[in-house]
């Protein structure tokens, strides 16, 4: 629990002023960063008196408006008009009954005591491991004390689940009731006109900061530009590896500058410059062949048309098979069909029995056994 | 606890007696004085035992005591001899031997020998014909047969006449009729019968009394496996390969003996070791080369005689297998240790000049080359040129379809392109089903294919072989052990 107080503390944390002691020590001119997570510190004051006064003001705790007004009246730096106003307010304060004044003092003290814990500066622990003991703000419940069941309510996790469910339902309501209304804003698609040659692509991360959201990509086809054939070829040569011969498109991108608009402007200027160079007739790069080494052409393999089994093709195949069978049958009746197995058997039958030389066993003492 | 232990550790090396024993009983000093020991050791000292056999303590080597590690307990002492090992070169000869007949194969009754015009007539397409004995010898002499081809399975070496072979023979015949030279490269996928096409062309040439000069492997010329020497007075320097040329001369002599004996020189060759006068048979000229030293001049003289203009010469077939090897930079080095281009080797140059069209034969002839797909270095120029010629042939010289050079690729060779600028290309693919059937019937009739050769079997093997690639058909039907 204790989340409101924690929240308050976290909110106040960046705006809290650290004491000037350390700031005085680090007196070196540093360049301001544009975005920083480091806490802001006041610059050391120029004159010592003002410095002292600020220190007093910071240290002094007023218990009631009367005390504050008294010091204010004594202050030399305010104008006469302000002093008059302060005097009048002091008189008003003195007219307040003393009982109420004391009550005011007590209240101030109580608030002071209660909030002392919150005002204490949070020291990062030296030996902590990645601040693991810090509460995780991304969980649906705060982890502290959530398992304590006090017999009066659901557990914190249950509440959190309900809250989550409510959130889902809220978005579902939006999707059902409000999103359809967006179609009123829809514009019909207009194909790009003849003079709209460049196609830009931007990236947005829905308002979040992202290093890639500044990137702008432009694509265009050299054929769409009012150029002659030779100039188009020169433009392709100028584009180098940014030219895709398969799609016949030049694609360039830029993320050199901080803002999308700057990048887009740069790309536009670059395209203008390229076109101007392509039109320049002094050197048309005729001696340089168009370099396509960067692009790998993928062979488009398609199922051959002739292979589709259409009805006609089926008939053709059937006829071929019939013919083949007929041929076989004809050969069989003629006796010219060659059968490998039969040929071998006939050859074995007709072959003259060759007298094989029978090895004569000579009587020799058997070797190896003794 | 530690102190006594430490002490014991220090005392141990000299502990012939336990430390606890009374000191008076230990004659400690004596053994230490006698034995020459290491200055510091953790091993206890043992007194040396006197060997009763060794008198006088004469040391005869160190005898180690205790257990011995027996290495190779199960190894027999004597290795049984496995007979005589093969002599040097014997294994290779066995590997490279060419068997042209198989007595166990069944003779095919309908097989007919090739005649002079059989290979050129279209009615012989899809027929298997046998090579006559004489042509066999001639082909063998010029090394047209290869050990990877399946000659050794049949009774008689025979050829399948394909549509492409008839086409090629007709082209050869036509060029001879017009007294021109056919320059053609046979190319195609693996095992589609490119070398066999060369063999058919050679058989046709032999049958028609041509003179055939065949280089069986292009790689033998360029992979630096035969001797080479610069030819004097050549600019730029050319190199001869005397040993190879001598072998080639002898092959030419053996293969074309009859025709060379009937052909006579037109001019004298006094520069040769054996003075050759005009009107000497070319066979005698070939015989003049007895040693590698004189091989190249003799070969050059023979070549000059063969290409002599106005003389009465038979048609000439010049052929080479493995074209890619001669279309690249060879592995030979010049005296400056720079690689020699293959076309600077004189024999290769002779062939490439002829292929490029620089040589004219008086009676016409043919220059054929076959590419190889198994053992071939990449030759981008050759591949591109052949693709271009092929595209030009089929598309009728339409420039759009002809493949173009990649302008950013460096590996092209201008000399190769110059050679292949005007050759014809014959691409071989699979055979038709009719041809496949004829071949399979021949196999079955030889008893090498145990199946009925009907349309079903033929189609099966034909399809298995990637629509009739011949080598694949052999693999699918002939070389399997399925019986």
């Amino acid at each position: 629990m204790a989340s409101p107080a924690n929240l308050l503390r976290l909110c106040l944390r960046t705006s809290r002023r650290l004491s000037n002691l350390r700031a005085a020590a680090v007196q070196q001119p540093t360049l301001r960063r544009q975005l920083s997570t480091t806490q802001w510190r006041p610059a050391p004051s120029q004159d010592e008196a003002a410095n002292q006064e600020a220190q007093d003001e910071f240290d002094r705790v007023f218990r009631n408006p009367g005390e504050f007004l008294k010091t204010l009246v004594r202050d030399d730096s305010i104008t006469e008009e302000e002093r008059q106003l302060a005097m009048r307010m002091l008189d008003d304060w003195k007219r307040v009954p003393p009982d109420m004044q004391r009550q005011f003092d007590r209240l101030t003290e109580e608030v002071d005591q209660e909030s002392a814990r919150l005002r204490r500066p949070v020291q990062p622990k030296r030996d902590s491991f990645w601040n693991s003991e810090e509460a995780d703000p991304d969980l649906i419940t705060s982890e502290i004390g959530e398992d304590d069941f006090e017999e009066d309510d659901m557990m914190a996790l249950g509440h959190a689940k309900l809250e989550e469910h409510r959130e889902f339902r809220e978005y579902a309501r939006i999707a059902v009731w409000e999103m359809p209304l967006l179609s009123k804003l829809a514009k019909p698609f207009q194909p790009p006109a003849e003079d709209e040659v460049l196609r830009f692509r931007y990236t947005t991360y829905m308002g979040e900061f992202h290093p890639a959201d500044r990137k702008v990509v432009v694509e265009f086809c050299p054929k769409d530009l009012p150029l002659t054939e030779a100039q188009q070829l020169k433009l392709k040569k100028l584009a180098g590896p940014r030219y895709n011969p398969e799609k016949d498109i030049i694609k360039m991108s830029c993320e050199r500058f901080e803002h999308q608009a700057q990048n887009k402007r740069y790309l536009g200027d670059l395209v203008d410059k390229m076109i101007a160079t392509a039109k320049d007739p002094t050197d048309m790069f005729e001696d340089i062949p168009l370099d396509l080494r960067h692009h790998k052409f993928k062979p488009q393999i398609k199922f051959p048309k002739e292979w589709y089994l259409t009805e006609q093709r089926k008939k053709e195949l059937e006829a071929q098979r019939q013919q083949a069978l007929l041929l076989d049958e004809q050969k069989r009746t003629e006796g010219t069909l060659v059968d490998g197995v039969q040929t071998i058997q006939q050859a074995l039958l007709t072959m003259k029995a060759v007298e094989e030389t029978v090895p004569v066993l000579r009587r020799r003492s058997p070797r190896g056994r003794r | 606890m530690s102190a006594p232990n430490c002490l014991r550790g220090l005392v141990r090396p000299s502990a012939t007696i336990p430390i606890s024993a009374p000191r008076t009983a230990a004659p400690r000093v004596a053994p230490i004085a006698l034995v020459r020991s290491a200055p510091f050791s953790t091993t206890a000292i043992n007194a040396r035992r006197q060997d009763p056999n060794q008198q006088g303590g004469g040391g005869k080597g160190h005898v180690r005591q205790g257990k011995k590690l027996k290495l190779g307990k199960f190894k027999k002492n004597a290795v049984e001899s496995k007979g005589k090992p093969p002599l040097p070169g014997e294994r290779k000869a066995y590997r490279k031997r060419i068997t042209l007949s198989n007595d166990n194969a069944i003779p095919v009754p309908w097989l007919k020998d090739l005649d002079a015009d059989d290979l050129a007539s279209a009615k012989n397409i899809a027929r298997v014909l046998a090579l006559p004995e004489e042509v066999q010898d001639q082909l063998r002499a010029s090394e047209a047969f290869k050990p990877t081809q399946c000659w050794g399975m049949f009774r008689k070496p025979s050829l399948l006449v394909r549509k492409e072979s008839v086409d090629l023979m007709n082209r050869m015949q036509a060029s001879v009729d017009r007294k021109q030279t056919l320059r053609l490269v046979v190319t195609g996928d693996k095992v589609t019968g490119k070398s066999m096409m060369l063999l058919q062309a050679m058989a046709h040439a032999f049958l028609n009394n041509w003179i055939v000069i065949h280089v069986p492997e292009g790689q033998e010329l360029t992979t630096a496996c035969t001797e080479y020497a610069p030819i004097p007075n050549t600019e730029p320097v050319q190199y001869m390969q005397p040993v190879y040329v001598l072998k080639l001369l002898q092959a030419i002599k053996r293969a074309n003996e009859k025709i060379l004996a009937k052909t006579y020189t037109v001019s004298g060759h006094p520069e040769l070791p054996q003075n050759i006068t005009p009107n000497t048979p070319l066979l005698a000229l070939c015989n003049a080369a007895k040693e590698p030293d004189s091989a190249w001049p003799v070969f050059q003289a023979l070549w000059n005689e063969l290409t002599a203009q106005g003389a009465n010469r038979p048609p000439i077939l010049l052929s080479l297998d493995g074209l890619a090897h001669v279309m690249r930079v060879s592995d030979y080095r010049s005296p400056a240790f720079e690689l020699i281009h293959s076309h600077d080797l004189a024999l290769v140059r002779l062939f490439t000049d002829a292929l490029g069209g620089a040589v004219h034969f008086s009676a016409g002839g043919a220059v054929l080359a076959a590419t190889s797909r198994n053992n071939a270095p990449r030759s981008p120029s050759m591949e591109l040129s052949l693709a271009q010629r092929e595209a030009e042939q089929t598309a009728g010289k339409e420039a759009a379809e002809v493949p173009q050079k990649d302008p950013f690729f460096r590996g092209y060779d201008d000399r190769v392109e110059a050679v292949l600028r005007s050759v014809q290309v014959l691409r071989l693919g699979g055979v038709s089903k009719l041809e496949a059937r004829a071949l399979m019937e021949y196999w079955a009739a030889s008893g090498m294919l145990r199946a009925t050769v009907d349309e079903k079997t033929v189609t099966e093997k034909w399809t298995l072989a990637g629509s009739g690639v011949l080598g694949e058909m052999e693999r699918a039907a002939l070389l399997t052990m399925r019986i």
Side-chain angles (χ1 to χ4, degrees), chain B residues 185-188 194 198 215-223 320-331 341-343 345 348 351-352 355 368-384 386 413 416 419-420:
Chain B
V185 176
V186 182
T187 185
K194 300 181 287 292
L198 275 194
V215 180
E217 281 291 346
Q219 65 162 328
E220 285 177 10
L221 289 169
T222 58
T223 50
L320 179 136
D321 205 347
L323 184 66
H325 277 285
V326 298
M327 292 296 174
R328 64 175 190 121
V329 177
S330 75
D331 294 340
H341 195 283
S342 291
H343 294 187
L345 303 169
V348 175
F351 178 78
T352 51
L355 190 64
L368 302 184
T371 57
S372 165
R373 279 298 146 96
N374 277 324
N375 169 29
R378 275 215 59 203
S379 173
S381 281
M382 190 190 82
E383 285 162 25
L384 178 77
L386 292 184
D413 192 341
V416 172
V419 166
L420 297 174

Side-chain angles (χ1 to χ4, degrees), chain B residues 23-344:
Chain B
R23 283 211 170 177
T24 47
R28 270 183 63 202
V29 184
I32 288 173
L34 279 176
V35 178
R36 223 182 281 153
S37 65
F40 181 76
S41 163
T42 54
T43 322
I45 295 163
N46 284 327
R48 193 172 68 176
R49 195 173 55 186
Q50 284 291 324
D51 197 339
N53 295 338
Q54 282 183 11
Q55 295 298 321
K60 199 204 156 198
H62 174 71
V63 180
R64 190 182 279 180
Q65 293 184 350
K67 272 189 180 173
K68 274 182 195 164
L69 186 64
K70 243 190 201 172
L71 291 170
K73 210 176 357 181
F74 304 106
K75 213 189 276 175
K76 280 171 194 164
N77 285 335
V79 179
E80 277 179 36
S81 70
K82 287 172 182 167
K84 205 172 68 174
L87 291 170
E90 205 174 323
R91 282 197 188 105
K92 185 174 181 184
Y94 184 73
R95 201 169 67 235
K96 298 281 179 195
R97 85 205 183 285
I98 288 158
T99 319
L100 288 186
S101 76
N102 173 13
D103 284 346
N104 292 321
I106 301 160
V108 182
W110 68 75
L111 199 63
K112 197 173 119 305
D113 270 6
L114 268 175
D115 266 342
D117 52 351
D118 266 351
L119 278 170
S121 66
K123 70 174 198 302
N124 282 329
I125 292 178
R127 277 182 71 188
V128 177
L129 296 169
L131 287 170
E133 296 275 337
E134 196 188 351
V135 177
Q136 279 179 40
D137 292 341
Q138 286 173 318
L139 288 173
R140 194 195 264 277
S142 47
E143 294 182 53
F145 300 109
K146 299 211 166 188
T148 47
Q149 296 162 348
C150 303
W151 302 108
M153 302 181 89
F154 305 100
R155 181 60 74 112
K156 233 182 154 188
S158 326
L159 303 171
L160 169 72
V161 185
R162 298 169 63 167
K163 206 168 107 260
E164 290 91 347
S165 42
V166 170
D167 178 30
L168 176 63
M169 301 319 148
N170 278 327
R171 282 199 222 179
M172 280 166 68
Q173 212 58 54
S175 66
V176 168
D177 292 345
R178 280 180 277 129
K179 297 207 181 300
Q180 284 175 347
T181 313
L182 171 76
R183 291 172 291 117
L184 183 136
V185 176
V186 182
T187 185
D189 287 334
K190 268 187 186 181
V191 288
T192 42
K194 300 181 287 292
S195 300
M196 196 64 96
M197 191 56 71
L198 275 194
L199 186 141
Q200 291 190 3
M202 286 165 73
H204 181 75
F206 280 127
L207 285 166
N208 287 285
N209 297 323
W210 294 28
I211 288 178
V212 177
I213 299 174
H214 179 59
V215 180
E217 281 291 346
Q219 65 162 328
E220 285 177 10
L221 289 169
T222 58
T223 50
C225 59
T226 179
E227 290 169 25
Y228 72 118
I231 301 173
N233 305 325
T234 46
E235 185 60 37
V237 184
Q238 290 184 33
Y239 297 84
M240 57 179 166
Q241 287 153 309
V243 177
Y244 188 87
V245 169
L246 181 64
K247 204 185 85 180
L248 184 66
L249 265 179
Q250 284 165 354
I252 293 168
K253 196 179 71 189
R254 257 182 287 137
N256 307 292
E257 211 157 6
K258 275 187 188 165
I259 308 159
L260 286 177
K262 282 188 283 181
T263 317
Y264 300 96
T265 54
V266 286
S267 55
H269 295 278
E271 75 281 3
L272 298 180
Q274 194 179 332
N275 192 7
I276 304 288
T277 54
N279 273 336
T280 317
L282 289 184
L283 195 63
L285 180 62
C286 288
N287 278 328
K290 305 277 187 215
E291 286 169 10
D293 289 345
S294 56
W296 177 250
V298 169
F299 185 78
Q300 214 169 15
L302 177 70
W303 184 247
N304 288 337
E305 285 296 333
L306 288 175
T307 55
Q309 297 306 310
N312 184 25
R313 298 275 173 253
I316 292 162
L317 172 67
L318 185 61
S319 58
L320 179 136
D321 205 347
L323 184 66
H325 277 285
V326 298
M327 292 296 174
R328 64 175 190 121
V329 177
S330 75
D331 294 340
Y332 288 107
R333 299 264 181 185
S334 68
F337 206 66
E338 282 156 354
L339 286 168
I340 299 171
H341 195 283
S342 291
H343 294 187
D344 284 337

Side-chain angles (χ1 to χ4, degrees), chain A residues 60-74:
Chain A
R60 189 102 179 261
V61 179
F62 303 108
R63 267 187 305 161
N64 53 32
E67 280 180 30
F68 172 69
L69 288 170
K70 270 179 203 161
T71 28
L72 193 66
V73 168
R74 262 183 267 131

